[in-house]
mmCIF file of all heavy atoms in Angstrom:
data_model
loop_
_atom_site.group_PDB
_atom_site.id
_atom_site.type_symbol
_atom_site.label_atom_id
_atom_site.label_comp_id
_atom_site.label_asym_id
_atom_site.label_seq_id
_atom_site.Cartn_x
_atom_site.Cartn_y
_atom_site.Cartn_z
ATOM 1 N N GLU A 1 92.958 85.743 88.076
ATOM 2 C CA GLU A 1 93.262 86.958 88.842
ATOM 3 C C GLU A 1 94.134 88.012 88.099
ATOM 4 O O GLU A 1 94.471 89.061 88.654
ATOM 5 C CB GLU A 1 93.949 86.645 90.202
ATOM 6 C CG GLU A 1 93.186 85.711 91.068
ATOM 7 C CD GLU A 1 93.938 85.400 92.317
ATOM 8 O OE1 GLU A 1 94.244 86.348 93.118
ATOM 9 O OE2 GLU A 1 94.261 84.204 92.554
ATOM 10 N N VAL A 2 94.472 87.685 86.779
ATOM 11 C CA VAL A 2 95.409 88.550 86.071
ATOM 12 C C VAL A 2 94.974 90.008 86.105
ATOM 13 O O VAL A 2 95.786 90.939 86.321
ATOM 14 C CB VAL A 2 95.561 88.010 84.645
ATOM 15 C CG1 VAL A 2 96.245 89.095 83.744
ATOM 16 C CG2 VAL A 2 96.414 86.735 84.606
ATOM 17 N N GLU A 3 93.717 90.291 85.770
ATOM 18 C CA GLU A 3 93.287 91.659 85.552
ATOM 19 C C GLU A 3 93.429 92.478 86.826
ATOM 20 O O GLU A 3 93.560 93.690 86.784
ATOM 21 C CB GLU A 3 91.845 91.660 85.034
ATOM 22 C CG GLU A 3 91.748 91.096 83.689
ATOM 23 C CD GLU A 3 90.362 91.318 83.030
ATOM 24 O OE1 GLU A 3 89.691 92.261 83.493
ATOM 25 O OE2 GLU A 3 90.006 90.575 82.062
ATOM 26 N N LYS A 4 93.461 91.824 87.989
ATOM 27 C CA LYS A 4 93.626 92.570 89.319
ATOM 28 C C LYS A 4 95.051 93.163 89.335
ATOM 29 O O LYS A 4 95.231 94.047 90.246
ATOM 30 C CB LYS A 4 93.389 91.664 90.459
ATOM 31 C CG LYS A 4 91.954 91.027 90.559
ATOM 32 C CD LYS A 4 91.846 90.108 91.698
ATOM 33 C CE LYS A 4 90.438 89.467 91.772
ATOM 34 N NZ LYS A 4 90.329 88.503 92.893
ATOM 35 N N TRP A 5 95.949 92.730 88.507
ATOM 36 C CA TRP A 5 97.326 93.132 88.602
ATOM 37 C C TRP A 5 97.615 94.273 87.645
ATOM 38 O O TRP A 5 98.787 94.684 87.488
ATOM 39 C CB TRP A 5 98.244 91.927 88.345
ATOM 40 C CG TRP A 5 98.316 91.053 89.546
ATOM 41 C CD1 TRP A 5 97.407 90.111 89.931
ATOM 42 C CD2 TRP A 5 99.395 90.987 90.536
ATOM 43 N NE1 TRP A 5 97.823 89.538 91.097
ATOM 44 C CE2 TRP A 5 99.053 90.044 91.482
ATOM 45 C CE3 TRP A 5 100.607 91.763 90.692
ATOM 46 C CZ2 TRP A 5 99.867 89.690 92.599
ATOM 47 C CZ3 TRP A 5 101.412 91.452 91.778
ATOM 48 C CH2 TRP A 5 101.057 90.457 92.698
ATOM 49 N N LYS A 6 96.584 94.789 86.963
ATOM 50 C CA LYS A 6 96.855 95.923 86.074
ATOM 51 C C LYS A 6 97.373 97.073 86.843
ATOM 52 O O LYS A 6 96.883 97.482 87.932
ATOM 53 C CB LYS A 6 95.547 96.341 85.392
ATOM 54 C CG LYS A 6 95.690 97.468 84.429
ATOM 55 C CD LYS A 6 94.410 97.754 83.646
ATOM 56 C CE LYS A 6 94.612 98.823 82.605
ATOM 57 N NZ LYS A 6 93.315 99.118 81.849
ATOM 58 N N GLY A 7 98.500 97.696 86.394
ATOM 59 C CA GLY A 7 99.144 98.755 87.051
ATOM 60 C C GLY A 7 100.187 98.262 88.046
ATOM 61 O O GLY A 7 100.999 99.097 88.564
ATOM 62 N N LYS A 8 100.272 96.948 88.365
ATOM 63 C CA LYS A 8 101.257 96.410 89.304
ATOM 64 C C LYS A 8 102.368 95.667 88.607
ATOM 65 O O LYS A 8 103.271 95.230 89.204
ATOM 66 C CB LYS A 8 100.535 95.552 90.296
ATOM 67 C CG LYS A 8 99.441 96.203 91.118
ATOM 68 C CD LYS A 8 98.767 95.133 92.009
ATOM 69 C CE LYS A 8 97.553 95.752 92.736
ATOM 70 N NZ LYS A 8 96.873 94.656 93.570
ATOM 71 N N ILE A 9 102.190 95.419 87.265
ATOM 72 C CA ILE A 9 103.179 94.735 86.518
ATOM 73 C C ILE A 9 103.534 95.603 85.303
ATOM 74 O O ILE A 9 102.686 96.176 84.636
ATOM 75 C CB ILE A 9 102.603 93.400 86.048
ATOM 76 C CG1 ILE A 9 102.606 92.368 87.217
ATOM 77 C CG2 ILE A 9 103.382 92.798 84.891
ATOM 78 C CD1 ILE A 9 101.889 91.085 86.951
ATOM 79 N N ASP A 10 104.804 95.764 85.004
ATOM 80 C CA ASP A 10 105.291 96.592 83.878
ATOM 81 C C ASP A 10 105.303 95.835 82.647
ATOM 82 O O ASP A 10 104.979 96.348 81.537
ATOM 83 C CB ASP A 10 106.652 97.173 84.164
ATOM 84 C CG ASP A 10 106.637 98.071 85.366
ATOM 85 O OD1 ASP A 10 105.800 98.993 85.435
ATOM 86 O OD2 ASP A 10 107.502 97.893 86.287
ATOM 87 N N VAL A 11 105.711 94.580 82.676
ATOM 88 C CA VAL A 11 105.768 93.688 81.479
ATOM 89 C C VAL A 11 105.283 92.294 81.849
ATOM 90 O O VAL A 11 105.833 91.750 82.807
ATOM 91 C CB VAL A 11 107.149 93.629 80.826
ATOM 92 C CG1 VAL A 11 107.113 92.834 79.545
ATOM 93 C CG2 VAL A 11 107.753 94.986 80.546
ATOM 94 N N MET A 12 104.367 91.795 81.129
ATOM 95 C CA MET A 12 103.933 90.399 81.344
ATOM 96 C C MET A 12 104.605 89.496 80.251
ATOM 97 O O MET A 12 104.450 89.741 79.078
ATOM 98 C CB MET A 12 102.433 90.237 81.198
ATOM 99 C CG MET A 12 101.853 88.871 81.499
ATOM 100 S SD MET A 12 101.955 88.397 83.197
ATOM 101 C CE MET A 12 100.494 89.248 83.834
ATOM 102 N N ILE A 13 105.338 88.491 80.701
ATOM 103 C CA ILE A 13 106.047 87.582 79.781
ATOM 104 C C ILE A 13 105.136 86.344 79.629
ATOM 105 O O ILE A 13 104.847 85.673 80.632
ATOM 106 C CB ILE A 13 107.436 87.243 80.241
ATOM 107 C CG1 ILE A 13 108.289 88.500 80.376
ATOM 108 C CG2 ILE A 13 108.077 86.173 79.436
ATOM 109 C CD1 ILE A 13 109.744 88.281 80.864
ATOM 110 N N LEU A 14 104.769 86.060 78.411
ATOM 111 C CA LEU A 14 103.807 85.003 78.156
ATOM 112 C C LEU A 14 104.520 83.715 77.745
ATOM 113 O O LEU A 14 105.242 83.729 76.785
ATOM 114 C CB LEU A 14 102.793 85.445 77.018
ATOM 115 C CG LEU A 14 102.094 86.744 77.270
ATOM 116 C CD1 LEU A 14 101.270 87.205 76.098
ATOM 117 C CD2 LEU A 14 101.201 86.700 78.569
ATOM 118 N N CYS A 15 104.362 82.653 78.475
ATOM 119 C CA CYS A 15 105.144 81.477 78.365
ATOM 120 C C CYS A 15 104.319 80.290 77.879
ATOM 121 O O CYS A 15 104.695 79.161 78.140
ATOM 122 C CB CYS A 15 105.865 81.094 79.699
ATOM 123 S SG CYS A 15 107.021 82.407 80.216
ATOM 124 N N GLY A 16 103.210 80.522 77.215
ATOM 125 C CA GLY A 16 102.435 79.480 76.675
ATOM 126 C C GLY A 16 102.918 78.912 75.366
ATOM 127 O O GLY A 16 103.966 79.442 74.820
ATOM 128 N N GLY A 17 102.201 77.992 74.822
ATOM 129 C CA GLY A 17 102.609 77.368 73.561
ATOM 130 C C GLY A 17 102.095 78.121 72.337
ATOM 131 O O GLY A 17 101.084 78.815 72.450
ATOM 132 N N SER A 18 102.785 78.004 71.191
ATOM 133 C CA SER A 18 102.409 78.713 70.003
ATOM 134 C C SER A 18 101.240 78.133 69.290
ATOM 135 O O SER A 18 100.554 78.861 68.573
ATOM 136 C CB SER A 18 103.577 78.680 68.982
ATOM 137 O OG SER A 18 104.627 79.443 69.557
ATOM 138 N N ALA A 19 100.867 76.845 69.519
ATOM 139 C CA ALA A 19 99.814 76.192 68.779
ATOM 140 C C ALA A 19 98.432 76.779 69.128
ATOM 141 O O ALA A 19 97.696 77.183 68.247
ATOM 142 C CB ALA A 19 99.856 74.713 69.013
ATOM 143 N N THR A 20 98.127 76.818 70.441
ATOM 144 C CA THR A 20 96.791 77.298 70.823
ATOM 145 C C THR A 20 96.801 78.390 71.953
ATOM 146 O O THR A 20 95.907 79.222 71.977
ATOM 147 C CB THR A 20 96.044 76.048 71.446
ATOM 148 O OG1 THR A 20 96.768 75.522 72.560
ATOM 149 C CG2 THR A 20 95.785 75.049 70.389
ATOM 150 N N ASP A 21 97.872 78.464 72.735
ATOM 151 C CA ASP A 21 97.909 79.541 73.813
ATOM 152 C C ASP A 21 98.136 80.924 73.301
ATOM 153 O O ASP A 21 97.327 81.846 73.490
ATOM 154 C CB ASP A 21 98.983 79.135 74.813
ATOM 155 C CG ASP A 21 98.668 77.851 75.602
ATOM 156 O OD1 ASP A 21 97.534 77.521 75.729
ATOM 157 O OD2 ASP A 21 99.635 77.211 76.041
ATOM 158 N N LEU A 22 99.236 81.152 72.702
ATOM 159 C CA LEU A 22 99.635 82.538 72.366
ATOM 160 C C LEU A 22 98.789 83.239 71.348
ATOM 161 O O LEU A 22 98.566 84.435 71.513
ATOM 162 C CB LEU A 22 101.139 82.566 71.871
ATOM 163 C CG LEU A 22 102.225 82.067 72.879
ATOM 164 C CD1 LEU A 22 103.564 82.074 72.336
ATOM 165 C CD2 LEU A 22 102.102 82.906 74.187
ATOM 166 N N PRO A 23 98.224 82.546 70.342
ATOM 167 C CA PRO A 23 97.324 83.236 69.455
ATOM 168 C C PRO A 23 96.144 83.939 70.170
ATOM 169 O O PRO A 23 95.650 85.024 69.736
ATOM 170 C CB PRO A 23 96.839 82.203 68.455
ATOM 171 C CG PRO A 23 97.933 81.213 68.486
ATOM 172 C CD PRO A 23 98.441 81.151 69.821
ATOM 173 N N GLU A 24 95.719 83.350 71.269
ATOM 174 C CA GLU A 24 94.667 83.981 72.094
ATOM 175 C C GLU A 24 95.160 84.901 73.157
ATOM 176 O O GLU A 24 94.741 85.993 73.410
ATOM 177 C CB GLU A 24 93.745 82.861 72.695
ATOM 178 C CG GLU A 24 92.995 82.090 71.649
ATOM 179 C CD GLU A 24 92.049 81.096 72.354
ATOM 180 O OE1 GLU A 24 91.887 81.122 73.608
ATOM 181 O OE2 GLU A 24 91.466 80.268 71.657
ATOM 182 N N GLN A 25 96.218 84.405 73.911
ATOM 183 C CA GLN A 25 96.696 85.090 75.080
ATOM 184 C C GLN A 25 97.362 86.431 74.747
ATOM 185 O O GLN A 25 97.140 87.362 75.425
ATOM 186 C CB GLN A 25 97.674 84.159 75.835
ATOM 187 C CG GLN A 25 97.024 82.998 76.525
ATOM 188 C CD GLN A 25 98.104 82.145 77.178
ATOM 189 O OE1 GLN A 25 99.305 82.317 77.045
ATOM 190 N NE2 GLN A 25 97.608 81.193 77.967
ATOM 191 N N THR A 26 98.214 86.454 73.698
ATOM 192 C CA THR A 26 99.007 87.692 73.504
ATOM 193 C C THR A 26 98.111 88.902 73.184
ATOM 194 O O THR A 26 98.243 89.923 73.770
ATOM 195 C CB THR A 26 100.093 87.419 72.409
ATOM 196 O OG1 THR A 26 100.832 86.294 72.741
ATOM 197 C CG2 THR A 26 101.046 88.646 72.371
ATOM 198 N N PRO A 27 97.173 88.799 72.173
ATOM 199 C CA PRO A 27 96.264 89.905 71.976
ATOM 200 C C PRO A 27 95.430 90.242 73.202
ATOM 201 O O PRO A 27 95.196 91.445 73.510
ATOM 202 C CB PRO A 27 95.332 89.450 70.837
ATOM 203 C CG PRO A 27 96.169 88.296 70.128
ATOM 204 C CD PRO A 27 96.909 87.659 71.248
ATOM 205 N N LYS A 28 95.029 89.234 73.933
ATOM 206 C CA LYS A 28 94.130 89.465 75.149
ATOM 207 C C LYS A 28 94.919 90.284 76.219
ATOM 208 O O LYS A 28 94.429 91.309 76.706
ATOM 209 C CB LYS A 28 93.647 88.092 75.664
ATOM 210 C CG LYS A 28 92.846 88.247 77.001
ATOM 211 C CD LYS A 28 92.464 86.887 77.529
ATOM 212 C CE LYS A 28 91.702 87.038 78.830
ATOM 213 N NZ LYS A 28 91.241 85.697 79.312
ATOM 214 N N TYR A 29 96.126 89.801 76.552
ATOM 215 C CA TYR A 29 96.828 90.447 77.624
ATOM 216 C C TYR A 29 97.537 91.736 77.185
ATOM 217 O O TYR A 29 97.908 92.563 77.978
ATOM 218 C CB TYR A 29 97.780 89.428 78.254
ATOM 219 C CG TYR A 29 96.995 88.313 78.954
ATOM 220 C CD1 TYR A 29 97.017 87.066 78.514
ATOM 221 C CD2 TYR A 29 96.132 88.656 80.060
ATOM 222 C CE1 TYR A 29 96.238 86.058 79.086
ATOM 223 C CE2 TYR A 29 95.372 87.714 80.642
ATOM 224 C CZ TYR A 29 95.453 86.355 80.182
ATOM 225 O OH TYR A 29 94.634 85.338 80.755
ATOM 226 N N ALA A 30 97.738 91.890 75.845
ATOM 227 C CA ALA A 30 98.249 93.200 75.363
ATOM 228 C C ALA A 30 97.171 94.297 75.585
ATOM 229 O O ALA A 30 97.500 95.465 75.565
ATOM 230 C CB ALA A 30 98.590 93.014 73.874
ATOM 231 N N GLY A 31 95.938 93.884 75.789
ATOM 232 C CA GLY A 31 94.934 94.848 76.149
ATOM 233 C C GLY A 31 95.019 95.317 77.606
ATOM 234 O O GLY A 31 94.305 96.216 78.045
ATOM 235 N N ILE A 32 95.918 94.728 78.377
ATOM 236 C CA ILE A 32 96.041 95.074 79.807
ATOM 237 C C ILE A 32 97.512 95.531 80.160
ATOM 238 O O ILE A 32 97.682 96.432 80.898
ATOM 239 C CB ILE A 32 95.635 93.875 80.691
ATOM 240 C CG1 ILE A 32 94.340 93.329 80.310
ATOM 241 C CG2 ILE A 32 95.677 94.270 82.181
ATOM 242 C CD1 ILE A 32 93.931 92.035 81.012
ATOM 243 N N PHE A 33 98.485 94.773 79.630
ATOM 244 C CA PHE A 33 99.843 95.002 79.985
ATOM 245 C C PHE A 33 100.745 95.144 78.741
ATOM 246 O O PHE A 33 100.365 94.819 77.683
ATOM 247 C CB PHE A 33 100.455 93.773 80.750
ATOM 248 C CG PHE A 33 99.641 93.284 81.899
ATOM 249 C CD1 PHE A 33 98.799 92.175 81.757
ATOM 250 C CD2 PHE A 33 99.741 93.894 83.136
ATOM 251 C CE1 PHE A 33 98.032 91.730 82.833
ATOM 252 C CE2 PHE A 33 99.007 93.431 84.216
ATOM 253 C CZ PHE A 33 98.134 92.344 84.057
ATOM 254 N N ASN A 34 101.970 95.641 78.908
ATOM 255 C CA ASN A 34 103.008 95.431 77.930
ATOM 256 C C ASN A 34 103.308 93.957 77.992
ATOM 257 O O ASN A 34 103.449 93.358 79.099
ATOM 258 C CB ASN A 34 104.257 96.238 78.284
ATOM 259 C CG ASN A 34 103.997 97.704 78.374
ATOM 260 O OD1 ASN A 34 103.332 98.324 77.417
ATOM 261 N ND2 ASN A 34 104.416 98.362 79.391
ATOM 262 N N VAL A 35 103.545 93.307 76.823
ATOM 263 C CA VAL A 35 103.724 91.879 76.731
ATOM 264 C C VAL A 35 104.868 91.496 75.845
ATOM 265 O O VAL A 35 105.213 92.262 74.917
ATOM 266 C CB VAL A 35 102.465 91.081 76.319
ATOM 267 C CG1 VAL A 35 101.303 91.343 77.282
ATOM 268 C CG2 VAL A 35 102.040 91.538 74.912
ATOM 269 N N VAL A 36 105.441 90.330 76.132
ATOM 270 C CA VAL A 36 106.439 89.720 75.249
ATOM 271 C C VAL A 36 106.104 88.238 75.148
ATOM 272 O O VAL A 36 105.762 87.632 76.126
ATOM 273 C CB VAL A 36 107.921 89.863 75.758
ATOM 274 C CG1 VAL A 36 108.889 89.319 74.818
ATOM 275 C CG2 VAL A 36 108.227 91.285 76.111
ATOM 276 N N ASP A 37 106.139 87.690 73.912
ATOM 277 C CA ASP A 37 105.892 86.248 73.748
ATOM 278 C C ASP A 37 107.018 85.626 72.860
ATOM 279 O O ASP A 37 107.908 86.362 72.298
ATOM 280 C CB ASP A 37 104.500 85.999 73.208
ATOM 281 C CG ASP A 37 104.320 86.175 71.709
ATOM 282 O OD1 ASP A 37 105.286 86.259 70.989
ATOM 283 O OD2 ASP A 37 103.163 86.206 71.306
ATOM 284 N N SER A 38 106.941 84.281 72.783
ATOM 285 C CA SER A 38 107.916 83.526 71.945
ATOM 286 C C SER A 38 107.216 82.769 70.802
ATOM 287 O O SER A 38 107.609 81.691 70.446
ATOM 288 C CB SER A 38 108.726 82.570 72.795
ATOM 289 O OG SER A 38 107.824 81.634 73.406
ATOM 290 N N PHE A 39 106.173 83.379 70.236
ATOM 291 C CA PHE A 39 105.427 82.721 69.209
ATOM 292 C C PHE A 39 106.357 82.300 68.069
ATOM 293 O O PHE A 39 107.057 83.120 67.458
ATOM 294 C CB PHE A 39 104.348 83.720 68.684
ATOM 295 C CG PHE A 39 103.394 83.124 67.669
ATOM 296 C CD1 PHE A 39 102.358 82.302 68.006
ATOM 297 C CD2 PHE A 39 103.565 83.395 66.296
ATOM 298 C CE1 PHE A 39 101.529 81.779 67.079
ATOM 299 C CE2 PHE A 39 102.730 82.842 65.360
ATOM 300 C CZ PHE A 39 101.674 82.004 65.750
ATOM 301 N N ASP A 40 106.321 81.011 67.705
ATOM 302 C CA ASP A 40 107.352 80.494 66.766
ATOM 303 C C ASP A 40 106.719 79.770 65.572
ATOM 304 O O ASP A 40 107.422 78.977 64.881
ATOM 305 C CB ASP A 40 108.363 79.658 67.496
ATOM 306 C CG ASP A 40 107.763 78.357 68.026
ATOM 307 O OD1 ASP A 40 106.610 78.139 67.964
ATOM 308 O OD2 ASP A 40 108.566 77.567 68.641
#
């Protein structure tokens, strides 16, 4: 349901793992929201 929240969230904080989650999630959701991640 994430895309339904476009315009309702100012910053999405991405709390997935660096191995497999964030390499896909951060570019994807940066296309919808301002984002912050902890890619390490």
Side-chain angles (χ1 to χ4, degrees):
E1 300 179 63
V2 165
E3 294 191 20
K4 298 178 183 178
W5 285 77
K6 184 175 183 179
K8 301 176 185 177
I9 286 173
D10 297 309
V11 185
M12 183 72 78
I13 298 178
L14 306 175
C15 298
S18 296
T20 57
D21 293 333
L22 297 178
E24 293 186 8
Q25 289 177 352
T26 311
K28 176 180 178 180
Y29 295 113
I32 308 171
F33 309 100
N34 301 310
V35 296
V36 184
D37 78 16
S38 61
F39 184 77
D40 65 358

